[in-house]
Amino acid sequence: MVLSLTGKHPRTVAGQVFILQAAVVVLLTAGAVLALVLQSRNDVDREARRLSVGVAETFAHSLGLREALKAPDPSKVLQPLTEEMRKRAGVDFIVVMDTGGIRYTHPQPERIGKRFVGTIEPSLAGRVHTESVRGPLGQEIQAVVPVTSADGKVVALVSAGLTVENVTGVVDRQLPVILGVSAAGLGLATVGTALITRRLQRQTHGLGPLEMTRMYEHHDAVLHAVREGVLITDADGRLVLANDEARRLLALPADAEGRDIRRLPDLDKRVAGLLLSGRVATDEVLAAGDRLLVVNQRPTMPRGQPEGAVVTIRDSTEMRILTGRAEAARRRLKLLYDAGIGIGTSLDVERTAEELADVAVPRFADYVTVDLADPVLHGDEPTGTSADMRRTAVSGISDDQPLYPRGKLIDFLPSTPQARGLGTGQAELVPNLADAPGWLAQDPPRTQSVIDYGIHSLITAPLKARGVVLGVVNFWRSQKPEPFDDDDLSLAEELVARAAVSIDNARRYTREHAMAVTLQRSLLPQALPDQSAVDVAHYYQPAQSGVGGDWFDVIPLPGSRVALVVGDVVGHGLHAAATMGRLRTAVHNFSSLDLPPDELLARLDELVQRIDRDGDVGDGGMLGATCLYAVYDPVSQHCAVGRAGHPPPLVVRPDGTVDIPQVPAGPPLGLGGMPFETAELNLSEGSQLVFYTDGLIEDRTRDIDEGLELLRAALSHPGRRPEESCRAVLDALLPARPRDDVALLIAQTRTLDADHVIEWAVPFEPSAVGAMRAVVVEKLDEWGLSDLAFGTELVLSELITNAIRYGSAPVRVRLLRDRTLTCEVSDGSSTSPHLRYAATTDEGGRGLFLVAQLSRRWGTRYTPEGKVIWAEQPLPGSSEGPENQLPDFLDADAI
């Protein structure tokens, strides 16, 4: 305590602080008022000079001023202008004068013509001059500005300014505001000082120096008694305070306080780095020697700026083991998580095994090998023995390890841990390979090289899924000196268990994919039939995701014609392949009826609708399919094309021009309700018909239109063979991993030579039969086919007789010599003939039966003009003979 001025009442520290603060506030307020007044006067004077200069320069540079000065009476022109501008600009006067200082204008007209009061010499020299003078209006602040001619010569002067009375009036008007604000500031400061004093009184509770000293001693005792280290540092990196616990934990010397932290020799570098950084730290764990310390640090800011830090330290050495276990558990969970998302990204057995090996190196093991039963790689069930293990994946921290290489077939001895694991389905830990005679006996030279290489510990875990052991995974350790332990064994078991499911899924997919591919390959044409109408090149590739329902066909038709087919069944897998086989068989059957494309597609559409109605489409969905069917005639060079929802064909002319013919699209098969149409094309010899499925032109990186343009560009080259065109198309469009099946069929047209075709018109009377027989025999002799004359005479006799008896005019006969001899008889009737088997006592009814017996095959096709009955006979010397001979009840003499 201290005594008051009267010496009667003690005055507290808070009271003294109040008096001191009040005196400081009064002095600061007075100084602020004086400074504001002086600053205000200075600002007003400076503003008056700036305004004067601005107005004078504006008028001096105004348009028409120099012309007005040249007038006979400049004052008459300029006086009203200066007065108007003076009022608008807020100045007291604007004076225009000549270079001698004689005024042309003035607010007081009687001053016009008299000499200007002020200094004009600087302005006559071309400078702007401001000054304060005693003028006609009183004490004035004025600016003098020169008026120059175009060549820079001073021709007049302009002065503008304010009287000091007006300038000081502004200050006087501001002074009450300044004084009021200052008084308010003084009052606010006084109130704030009083509030701070009251708060100080509350915080000290009216304590004097003795009481506060005693309180400090108590706090100091508590600080050094707590079991938590406390440090205080300053902004220069010196240690200000350290309690007893901090000294013990950090091994600080007795004179540590006041010393630079950098010069404390026994202080751990990581702790020193944290103390010197001054950054905020919350429960940060630091290892200091054999202790594990938990450190909290907060900067101290007594004046709003960092001036040091307060640090608390706890000893958590006993938590080190728990922390290590928690970190190991975290790494284990992270490894299992990465395995869950990194293993099984594809349905490929070998790739899945490689993913398993890669995910475990180097976080769990230095080397990982995966050995799978050889049948598993092909999608089959394992045999259950250790004699057919194939090394499928090898991964490690280096490539020069002496382990068995990838692809080697291994026969594990019964004494090895791998063989025991395959037999029992249990994982096994080998801590020291050098002390494992059963493993060393597998391949002594190689196992010794493994030991010499530094691989010292092994975990072998069988790959077991759905009760079946698929193989074994080996985890090898070399760099870490400690061997695998039981925790590592459990982690390996869990890791392999997760991977086994993915490998088994890949195995099952491989099996199903192989079955689907085998089925589809068996349903696709194994070899294209012999025919003379077109030269064909083809390509087929199933999708990566599984086989689909794309197919193509080349079907020989009577009359040396050929049918070209490309189709696509929506979906993938066994069902799509089986459905494709059914549709392909149907197309073969319908083509044997010699139907035009639109009728064949209509019947195929009805078949698909019937399959949908019967529910035989798998999973209850609707069957989706498209088809493109074309018939080419090498005699007429005519091609009839129809399509059902399929991409259009392309025609490559012999000169390399590529056309997309306008073939009506038609709906996909199975929709029904809409008719199909046939487009008629005339193709010159050497033209190429290009049929394909959408998997060729459509990809995730391009749309169908872009694919068609690429296809057109790849085909637009003259003089190519179909095989060359096929290769060019595949190089330009085939994706690396097609998402859909790709089918491509390119057929180059040929023409049957004119000397291999002959046609006659037959009179519509029975007597014409004999004449036609003679003509035909003569032609066969010319072709060197005399051996076929007897059978051909008999076939033509029956066919012409039937046409005349049951048909209508006109009747025509055509012979075609190609791979077979084809006899065609056409008439104008659409009546369909049919084969009947006459009894032994019947005198007639054996005509078509004889035709069937003498021909390899025969049939009927309908044309817009009627029908054509045809019969084929194999040429002499060919490998094909007639399927039937003359019946026993007839011989050549009888006929």
Side-chain angles (χ1 to χ4, degrees):
M1 294 290 185
V2 294
L3 296 179
S4 64
L5 294 177
T6 61
K8 295 181 179 180
H9 302 287
R11 184 173 300 278
T12 63
V13 175
Q16 295 177 8
V17 169
F18 174 75
I19 294 173
L20 178 61
Q21 287 186 347
V24 171
V25 168
V26 171
L27 290 176
L28 290 176
T29 303
V33 170
L34 179 61
L36 287 173
V37 171
L38 294 177
Q39 181 65 35
S40 179
R41 288 185 179 275
N42 182 65
D43 290 345
V44 171
D45 182 81
R46 185 170 60 253
E47 180 62 23
R49 292 176 182 270
R50 187 192 61 78
L51 179 61
S52 299
V53 172
V55 173
E57 285 189 338
T58 300
F59 196 84
H61 293 88
S62 61
L63 298 177
L65 177 60
R66 290 195 294 269
E67 288 74 8
L69 292 172
K70 297 177 182 179
D73 188 2
S75 297
K76 183 178 180 180
V77 178
L78 296 175
Q79 178 66 12
L81 295 177
T82 57
E83 286 302 298
E84 181 180 0
M85 185 172 181
R86 177 181 66 81
K87 295 176 182 178
R88 290 184 178 181
V91 296
D92 291 331
F93 64 87
I94 299 177
V95 175
V96 182
M97 67 195 84
D98 61 12
T99 56
I102 304 302
R103 302 187 185 99
Y104 291 128
T105 65
H106 196 274
Q108 297 175 355
E110 64 272 13
R111 301 283 184 175
I112 297 175
K114 297 182 179 181
R115 185 174 180 80
F116 174 73
V117 179
T119 304
I120 64 174
E121 286 74 11
S123 299
L124 291 175
R127 299 193 300 273
V128 176
H129 178 67
T130 60
E131 60 183 351
S132 177
V133 299
R134 184 71 181 179
L137 301 180
Q139 191 67 29
E140 302 170 348
I141 295 175
Q142 64 184 11
V144 182
V145 176
V147 178
T148 59
S149 60
D151 57 359
K153 182 180 181 180
V154 177
V155 298
L157 302 173
V158 176
S159 176
L162 296 167
T163 62
V164 174
E165 178 182 358
N166 289 337
V167 173
T168 57
V170 174
V171 177
D172 294 341
R173 289 191 298 273
Q174 293 177 349
L175 187 57
V177 177
I178 294 173
L179 293 176
V181 172
S182 299
L186 177 60
L188 181 61
T190 303
V191 173
T193 300
L195 293 176
I196 292 172
T197 301
R198 288 185 61 189
R199 182 174 182 182
L200 182 60
Q201 288 176 337
R202 286 196 305 270
Q203 290 178 346
T204 61
H205 299 285
L207 298 177
L210 294 177
E211 287 81 359
M212 294 181 67
T213 300
R214 188 179 302 113
M215 183 177 293
Y216 170 78
E217 292 174 350
H218 293 167
H219 289 173
D220 188 65
V222 172
L223 179 66
H224 290 283
V226 295
R227 299 298 297 171
E228 184 169 319
V230 178
L231 298 174
I232 298 178
T233 62
D234 63 10
D236 296 328
R238 286 191 299 270
L239 184 62
V240 178
L241 181 144
N243 69 349
D244 295 342
E245 183 66 8
R247 293 174 185 274
R248 183 183 69 85
L249 295 177
L250 300 179
L252 297 176
D255 60 345
E257 293 183 355
R259 294 178 60 181
D260 194 324
I261 294 174
R262 303 176 186 85
R263 292 185 172 85
L264 295 176
D266 296 331
L267 184 62
D268 185 85
K269 293 183 179 180
R270 284 167 292 186
V271 177
L274 176 60
L275 297 178
L276 292 172
S277 69
R279 61 181 175 84
V280 175
T282 301
D283 290 339
E284 188 166 325
V285 180
L286 296 177
D290 58 349
R291 299 182 184 276
L292 196 65
L293 304 180
V294 179
V295 182
N296 289 273
Q297 178 169 271
R298 294 292 184 275
T300 57
M301 298 183 180
R303 298 175 181 84
Q305 297 294 329
E307 294 188 9
V310 176
V311 182
T312 61
I313 305 172
R314 296 194 310 273
D315 187 3
S316 58
T317 305
E318 62 275 8
M319 296 180 61
R320 176 178 294 181
I321 298 176
L322 296 177
T323 303
R325 291 180 179 176
E327 179 63 20
R330 187 194 66 80
R331 291 196 300 266
R332 173 174 178 165
L333 291 176
K334 183 66 169 59
L335 176 61
L336 293 176
Y337 172 78
D338 292 344
I341 63 176
I343 300 176
T345 60
S346 68
L347 290 174
D348 182 84
V349 175
E350 294 187 16
R351 178 58 188 155
T352 305
E354 292 171 356
E355 291 171 345
L356 167 59
D358 292 340
V359 79
V361 175
R363 290 185 291 176
F364 179 64
D366 298 321
Y367 299 95
V368 176
T369 57
V370 181
D371 304 322
L372 297 179
D374 204 43
V376 172
L377 298 174
H378 307 289
D380 299 328
E381 293 283 346
T383 59
T385 66
S386 59
D388 59 351
M389 292 292 115
R390 188 173 296 277
R391 181 134 297 177
T392 309
V394 178
S395 181
I397 58 177
S398 63
D399 297 331
D400 60 346
Q401 40 76 23
L403 300 171
Y404 283 130
R406 184 176 181 271
K408 180 174 178 58
L409 193 64
I410 307 172
D411 181 8
F412 287 112
L413 296 179
S415 63
T416 60
Q418 289 88 349
R420 290 194 296 270
L422 290 171
T424 63
Q426 300 296 320
E428 188 169 331
L429 168 63
V430 183
N432 186 4
L433 288 174
D435 191 21
W439 175 78
L440 292 170
Q442 168 68 30
D443 185 351
R446 184 175 292 273
T447 53
Q448 186 59 47
S449 65
V450 171
I451 297 297
D452 296 340
Y453 186 78
I455 298 176
H456 59 82
S457 187
L458 165 68
I459 291 178
T460 178
L463 278 161
K464 186 176 180 181
R466 302 178 179 92
V468 177
V469 178
L470 307 175
V472 63
V473 183
N474 305 294
F475 302 93
W476 312 84
R477 177 169 288 182
S478 63
Q479 281 197 339
K480 295 180 180 179
E482 65 273 10
F484 287 114
D485 55 23
D486 291 338
D487 290 338
D488 295 326
L489 179 63
S490 63
L491 175 58
E493 289 176 328
E494 189 168 356
L495 181 62
V496 171
R498 296 191 179 194
V501 176
S502 298
I503 291 179
D504 190 55
N505 289 337
R507 178 189 67 83
R508 291 169 176 264
Y509 171 79
T510 301
R511 181 183 60 188
E512 294 181 3
H513 184 267
M515 292 173 57
V517 169
T518 301
L519 174 62
Q520 186 183 46
R521 295 290 185 186
S522 66
L523 295 175
L524 288 172
Q526 304 302 308
L528 296 182
D530 293 333
Q531 44 80 35
S532 303
V534 291
D535 292 328
V536 177
H538 59 88
Y539 177 83
Y540 174 80
Q541 179 174 334
Q544 291 292 330
S545 58
V547 295
D550 291 13
W551 89 92
F552 62 90
D553 243 324
V554 177
I555 307 172
L557 298 178
S560 296
R561 296 170 304 132
V562 66
L564 305 172
V565 191
V566 171
D568 185 1
V569 176
V570 176
H572 296 89
L574 288 173
H575 173 72
T579 303
M580 176 270 289
R582 299 173 68 178
L583 295 182
R584 179 171 177 255
T585 301
V587 170
H588 271 267
N589 292 334
F590 293 149
S591 65
S592 66
L593 300 177
D594 223 337
L595 300 174
D598 55 341
E599 292 186 25
L600 183 141
L601 292 175
R603 297 199 181 192
L604 202 60
D605 180 64
E606 292 176 358
L607 172 63
V608 174
Q609 293 182 60
R610 186 160 59 251
I611 294 175
D612 283 339
R613 287 195 300 270
D614 295 341
D616 190 17
V617 294
D619 299 330
M622 290 189 63
L623 175 65
T626 64
C627 185
L628 177 64
Y629 184 83
V631 176
Y632 173 68
D633 187 347
V635 177
S636 63
Q637 299 180 339
H638 175 79
C639 183
V641 185
R643 63 186 178 118
H646 202 82
L650 275 70
V651 176
V652 184
R653 305 294 179 183
D655 61 356
T657 305
V658 180
D659 299 328
I660 302 179
Q662 299 299 318
V663 180
L669 299 174
L671 294 183
M674 296 181 64
F676 298 96
E677 300 181 47
T678 298
E680 308 292 340
L681 308 177
N682 290 315
L683 304 175
S684 56
E685 185 176 8
S687 299
Q688 292 183 0
L689 284 166
V690 181
F691 295 171
Y692 54 92
T693 55
D694 57 2
L696 178 67
I697 60 174
E698 189 175 12
D699 189 61
R700 61 170 62 92
T701 61
R702 62 172 181 261
D703 56 19
I704 292 181
D705 293 336
E706 184 181 355
L708 279 175
E709 288 303 317
L710 290 174
L711 180 59
R712 184 198 294 265
L715 291 169
S716 58
H717 294 275
R720 279 181 175 169
R721 300 293 301 161
E723 295 80 6
E724 297 171 340
S725 297
C726 186
R727 176 48 54 194
V729 168
L730 296 177
D731 292 342
L733 283 93
L734 185 64
R737 297 178 63 87
R739 293 186 303 168
D740 195 4
D741 291 11
V742 175
L744 175 64
L745 180 67
I746 299 180
Q748 187 172 32
T749 61
R750 300 172 63 183
T751 303
L752 196 62
D753 295 339
D755 58 351
H756 288 195
V757 181
I758 189 168
E759 187 174 2
W760 299 278
V762 180
F764 198 71
E765 56 185 29
S767 61
V769 176
M772 285 306 305
R773 291 173 62 175
V775 172
V776 168
V777 169
E778 181 181 354
K779 188 62 179 178
L780 292 178
D781 291 339
E782 179 183 338
W783 281 347
L785 300 178
S786 301
D787 294 344
L788 300 179
F790 173 74
T792 303
E793 285 185 81
L794 185 56
V795 168
L796 282 177
S797 296
E798 296 298 334
L799 295 182
I800 296 174
T801 300
N802 280 339
I804 295 175
R805 178 177 299 178
Y806 303 109
S808 59
V811 177
R812 302 187 67 82
V813 172
R814 187 172 72 164
L815 292 181
L816 294 91
R817 180 168 67 90
D818 191 14
R819 295 177 182 272
T820 61
L821 177 65
T822 304
C823 304
E824 297 180 350
V825 176
S826 62
D827 66 82
S829 171
S830 59
T831 303
S832 175
H834 63 278
L835 178 66
R836 60 186 291 257
Y837 296 91
T840 55
T841 57
D842 290 344
E843 296 183 0
R846 296 182 177 86
L848 290 180
F849 178 73
L850 292 175
V851 172
Q853 293 293 312
L854 293 171
S855 305
R856 189 185 65 171
R857 58 176 183 162
W858 72 282
T860 305
R861 70 172 182 270
Y862 296 93
T863 65
E865 296 80 19
K867 68 176 181 296
V868 176
I869 304 178
W870 54 270
E872 291 181 353
Q873 301 177 76
L875 298 180
S878 66
S879 59
E880 299 180 359
E883 294 181 355
N884 298 301
Q885 302 296 330
L886 279 174
D888 294 336
F889 60 85
L890 288 178
D891 57 27
D893 294 336
I895 299 176

